[in-house]
Amino acid sequence: MEEVQAKKKLFSAVQPSGAVTIGNYIGAIRNFVALQDEYDCLYAVADLHAITVRQEPAALRRNTLSLMALFIACGVDPEKCVLFVQSHVPAHCELTWVLNTITYPGELSRMTQFKDKSAKHADNVNMGLMDYPVLMVSDILLYQAALVPIGADQKQHLELTRDLAIRFNNRYGATFTVPEGYFPKGSSARIMSLADPARKMSKSDENPNGFVTMDDDKDTVLRKFKRAVTDSEAEVRYDPVNKPGVSNLLTIYTAFTGKSTEEAEREFAGKGYGDFKLAVGETVADALAPVREEKARLLADKGYLNAVMKRGEEAAARIARRTLSKVYRKVGFYTGD
């Protein structure tokens, strides 16, 4: 009889820090759906990470519930994966303390995101901001994840995860799975600002026309795409160096339609930028409409969302507790056994 091979564990998380852009959707959440059949997936709403930057408590609670609803509305299935809120599983913080004792200050001060966020939030450079990469390591190692979907800006964090897993294993014996980075198909599709295609699309952009969120209605989406920066050449061609605005719109269009860049270029050959921007806007708006409607339906059923979070918490906690118990024994904590 042929042995059934266990699926590899995969972990990923998203912070509930407000509106989710189509860049976040294309780069992360959409891939969650694609991966849940192939791997043993754990997906978290990373609210512990969110408070490294000042949050309004009521807004954080709303955003946590909203992100959970968005995950499900996008197709993440709580029956196929473990879907939970990070702060509901105390083991994340407990493992972080242990891992802090094998982490060097120099490793954390070199983190690019620490430098960037310290510059952006100069009035609130807190220890959590420096230490959150260790919390991120705990997120992954707690669940013995073999794979972690990452973008280019997260390679440093994966390297730290691997370093700390190996360091702990060398010091205390085999304990943690050393994870690999997973680069989903299409993960190279970096979505840039519609107002400034030299910068990544971000909800913190001061220009609201620079980003499209998953909550934007059709009129808003169309208006933002009509105002998108292009160039004076009036040719729809993929050329990120010389035509960054048009290339960004092509990237968005192909991400939502599944067409190749070449197919999209042929489709808009001889057409003006007005027609092109309208077509991209309508494609995005039509894709977002059912997600927005389903999210609203889910948010109206708080009992269901609470039940999903409770079930996810229990499943995540069971796995996390096994790892943490092993860690506590290895480091010498007396457990009474």
Side-chain angles (χ1 to χ4, degrees), residues 11 13 44 48-49 84-99 134-140 142-143 316-317 320-321 324:
F11 177 89
L48 292 172
H49 286 291
F84 68 104
V85 177
Q86 185 188 29
S87 66
H88 292 178
V89 183
H92 288 255
C93 297
E94 296 174 81
L95 181 57
T96 297
W97 177 251
V98 175
L99 294 180
V134 185
L135 176 58
M136 194 176 289
V137 172
S138 297
D139 296 339
I140 298 163
L142 261 180
Y143 302 103
R321 183 54 54 184
L324 192 66

Side-chain angles (χ1 to χ4, degrees), residues 248-275:
N248 186 42
L249 292 175
L250 276 168
T251 298
I252 294 169
Y253 185 70
T254 56
F256 276 96
T257 61
K259 295 178 181 178
S260 68
T261 302
E262 293 75 17
E263 285 172 329
E265 286 175 335
R266 285 197 296 273
E267 183 180 346
F268 295 105
K271 293 183 180 178
Y273 285 164
D275 290 340

Side-chain angles (χ1 to χ4, degrees), residues 5 40 85 106 116 139 184 243 273 303 312:
Q5 200 165 15
D40 185 1
V85 177
D116 291 347
D139 296 339
K243 298 170 72 67
Y273 285 164

Side-chain angles (χ1 to χ4, degrees), residues 193-197 224-237 239 241-250 272-278 280:
S193 165
L194 300 182
D196 179 5
K224 289 180 178 181
F225 276 101
K226 283 177 184 176
R227 294 176 180 176
V229 170
T230 49
D231 53 54
S232 58
E233 203 177 67
E235 182 188 1
V236 178
R237 186 180 80 253
D239 181 351
V241 175
N242 299 305
K243 298 170 72 67
V246 171
S247 299
N248 186 42
L249 292 175
L250 276 168
Y273 285 164
D275 290 340
F276 173 51
K277 289 195 280 190
L278 180 62
V280 179

Side-chain angles (χ1 to χ4, degrees), residues 47-266:
D47 55 342
L48 292 172
H49 286 291
I51 63 168
T52 56
V53 174
R54 285 196 189 108
Q55 301 285 339
E56 201 278 299
L60 180 58
R61 283 189 282 271
R62 281 196 308 272
N63 290 338
T64 297
L65 201 62
S66 177
L67 183 55
M68 182 63 65
L70 179 64
F71 279 159
I72 300 169
C74 287
V76 176
D77 187 347
E79 301 297 327
K80 293 181 178 180
C81 60
V82 177
L83 187 57
F84 68 104
V85 177
Q86 185 188 29
S87 66
H88 292 178
V89 183
H92 288 255
C93 297
E94 296 174 81
L95 181 57
T96 297
W97 177 251
V98 175
L99 294 180
N100 274 335
T101 66
I102 64 165
T103 307
Y104 308 125
E107 291 176 301
L108 301 183
S109 63
R110 286 194 297 270
M111 288 285 164
T112 303
Q113 286 197 12
F114 171 68
K115 294 176 184 175
D116 291 347
K117 287 195 174 185
S118 296
K120 190 179 288 186
H121 303 280
D123 62 334
N124 185 31
V125 182
N126 57 76
M127 282 309 300
L129 199 59
M130 174 174 272
D131 200 38
Y132 88 89
V134 185
L135 176 58
M136 194 176 289
V137 172
S138 297
D139 296 339
I140 298 163
L141 299 187
L142 261 180
Y143 302 103
Q144 304 292 352
L147 297 168
V148 186
I150 61 167
D153 58 347
Q154 294 171 315
K155 285 182 180 176
Q156 266 190 320
H157 293 141
L158 178 66
E159 287 167 9
L160 180 68
T161 304
R162 291 174 55 81
D163 288 345
L164 293 187
I166 292 167
R167 193 175 300 162
F168 191 96
N169 289 348
N170 286 342
R171 187 173 299 184
Y172 295 107
T175 307
F176 295 121
T177 299
V178 181
E180 301 284 343
Y182 181 85
F183 302 89
K185 292 173 185 174
S187 61
S188 60
R190 189 174 168 87
I191 307 303
M192 313 305 283
S193 165
L194 300 182
D196 179 5
R199 298 186 332 187
K200 186 178 178 181
M201 183 179 284
S202 169
K203 60 179 173 283
S204 60
D205 193 330
E206 291 179 2
N207 185 347
N209 291 314
F211 59 92
V212 174
T213 79
M214 298 298 289
D215 293 323
D216 285 343
D217 60 27
K218 185 163 188 173
D219 288 344
T220 303
V221 173
L222 293 179
R223 185 179 72 250
K224 289 180 178 181
F225 276 101
K226 283 177 184 176
R227 294 176 180 176
V229 170
T230 49
D231 53 54
S232 58
E233 203 177 67
E235 182 188 1
V236 178
R237 186 180 80 253
Y238 188 77
D239 181 351
V241 175
N242 299 305
K243 298 170 72 67
V246 171
S247 299
N248 186 42
L249 292 175
L250 276 168
T251 298
I252 294 169
Y253 185 70
T254 56
F256 276 96
T257 61
K259 295 178 181 178
S260 68
T261 302
E262 293 75 17
E263 285 172 329
E265 286 175 335
R266 285 197 296 273

